[in-house]
Amino acid sequence: MASSFLAYPSLSVVRNDDFADTADIAEAFARHVTSRQLPSDVAPVRCSVESEAVPGGVRLRFTSTARKLTGPATVTHKFFFIDRDESRERRHLLTPVTTAATTELLVLFEEGQERDYFHGSVFDSDNLLLASSAVVFDREGRHVPYPFTQKYVCPQRLAAADFEVTRDADGRRVARFSLACRDLTETLRLSVAWETIGVVHQRDLVCTPERPATYLDMPLDDNDELAPGDWVVIAVDDRQRLLAQTVVTLVSTEAGRCPS
């Protein structure tokens, strides 16, 4: 029998218009932090990366620094190496005296491989996102932020983009990712995908001027397509340009609720 899950969004939904004035993934995601464990701020955690070439690969140092920390706090560094189908995690305890945490990663290159990239994210103890960044690095030990330029962003304006746990018309518990377009003048073909390391579930959808809103329901009960862990839920157009995305933590109902 397939498992059933509880679904917890790790941040509010990031939209294409968050990139209207920036190509920095860290800046765009910072606008959607919902954690209240650290003092409220536009960006409660700042991240930095150092890199150096070593025999066979690269050594990366990922540092997160909390701002205005008034008490102890636990944070988790999560690293997603998309092309490698690999993820890594490290947990750190912060205090008002020790507000920075550093994770060191050794990344080995295959023969002929010149560069790679990863998403580095910081989560609080409730698994809510505090900061996220994407970094490209090469065999020589150089690194740059992932250049998320306008060519990766769909120009279609959105009236709404939401994630919620609800029930469908048949009474099933579902995780619903919904979109509504603004000023749509022609058919927009898009797809919504649920992605985790090594797994992608994708569905094609359509918005029209007559029906500018659409949604995808992911059943949360008896669904063998899902597994516990962090999932990216993302909507893109037919040219693979971003419309909206969020990060969702799935917990087996047998394991109980996430902390709150």
Side-chain angles (χ1 to χ4, degrees):
M1 183 175 178
S3 298
S4 297
F5 301 92
L6 303 170
Y8 302 92
S10 296
L11 74 166
S12 61
V13 177
V14 179
R15 296 166 39 147
N16 55 355
D17 54 14
D18 285 305
F19 292 95
D21 58 354
T22 184
D24 186 348
I25 291 175
E27 181 179 345
F29 273 65
R31 299 167 181 172
H32 294 275
V33 169
T34 58
S35 170
R36 292 295 176 264
Q37 288 195 359
L38 273 67
S40 179
D41 203 333
V42 174
V45 170
R46 298 293 176 89
C47 301
S48 62
V49 175
E50 298 176 347
S51 59
E52 64 174 325
V54 297
V58 174
R59 179 179 287 111
L60 300 166
R61 295 183 182 88
F62 179 89
T63 299
S64 66
T65 303
R67 306 174 64 189
K68 304 178 183 177
L69 194 61
T70 58
T74 300
V75 298
T76 301
H77 291 176
K78 298 187 181 185
F79 306 93
F80 303 93
F81 294 85
I82 308 303
D83 292 342
R84 296 169 179 257
D85 285 343
E86 178 184 343
S87 64
R88 307 185 195 183
E89 293 187 14
R90 299 290 187 276
R91 186 169 294 180
H92 301 273
L93 176 64
L94 304 179
T95 69
V97 176
T98 307
T99 59
T102 298
T103 298
E104 188 170 288
L105 303 168
L106 176 62
V107 182
L108 300 180
F109 277 63
E110 296 181 358
E111 184 175 353
Q113 183 183 8
E114 294 300 324
R115 66 176 187 170
D116 203 343
Y117 79 102
F118 71 93
H119 289 271
S121 300
V122 184
F123 289 77
D124 70 13
S125 61
D126 288 341
N127 215 46
L128 297 180
L129 190 77
L130 294 166
S132 185
S133 59
V135 177
V136 180
F137 56 96
D138 66 14
R139 182 182 286 272
E140 303 301 319
R142 298 168 298 197
H143 71 274
V144 295
Y146 191 98
F148 202 80
T149 60
Q150 287 301 308
K151 70 179 181 180
Y152 299 118
V153 180
C154 178
Q156 173 59 51
R157 299 177 65 196
L158 293 178
D162 297 294
F163 179 91
E164 63 176 335
V165 175
T166 185
R167 292 189 180 272
D168 65 10
D170 296 322
R172 301 180 303 172
R173 283 192 321 117
V174 296
R176 177 170 296 172
F177 193 59
S178 57
L179 300 167
C181 296
R182 186 191 304 274
D183 303 326
L184 190 62
T185 59
E186 59 184 8
T187 297
L188 175 67
R189 301 186 183 281
L190 64 140
S191 61
V192 174
W194 279 65
E195 304 177 356
T196 191
I197 293 297
V199 181
V200 177
H201 302 304
Q202 181 174 310
R203 305 287 188 276
D204 293 330
L205 302 171
V206 174
C207 289
T208 67
E210 295 75 28
R211 300 187 65 180
T214 189
Y215 63 87
L216 174 69
D217 282 349
M218 177 63 76
L220 293 174
D221 293 321
D222 301 329
N223 187 347
D224 58 10
E225 289 188 337
L226 298 179
D230 298 313
W231 291 74
V232 173
V233 185
I234 184 169
V236 297
D237 66 10
D238 58 2
R239 294 171 59 182
Q240 298 302 301
R241 297 177 300 182
L242 175 72
L243 279 159
Q245 79 172 80
T246 190
V247 178
V248 177
T249 302
L250 294 183
V251 179
S252 171
T253 54
E254 297 178 359
R257 291 184 57 87
C258 281
S260 60

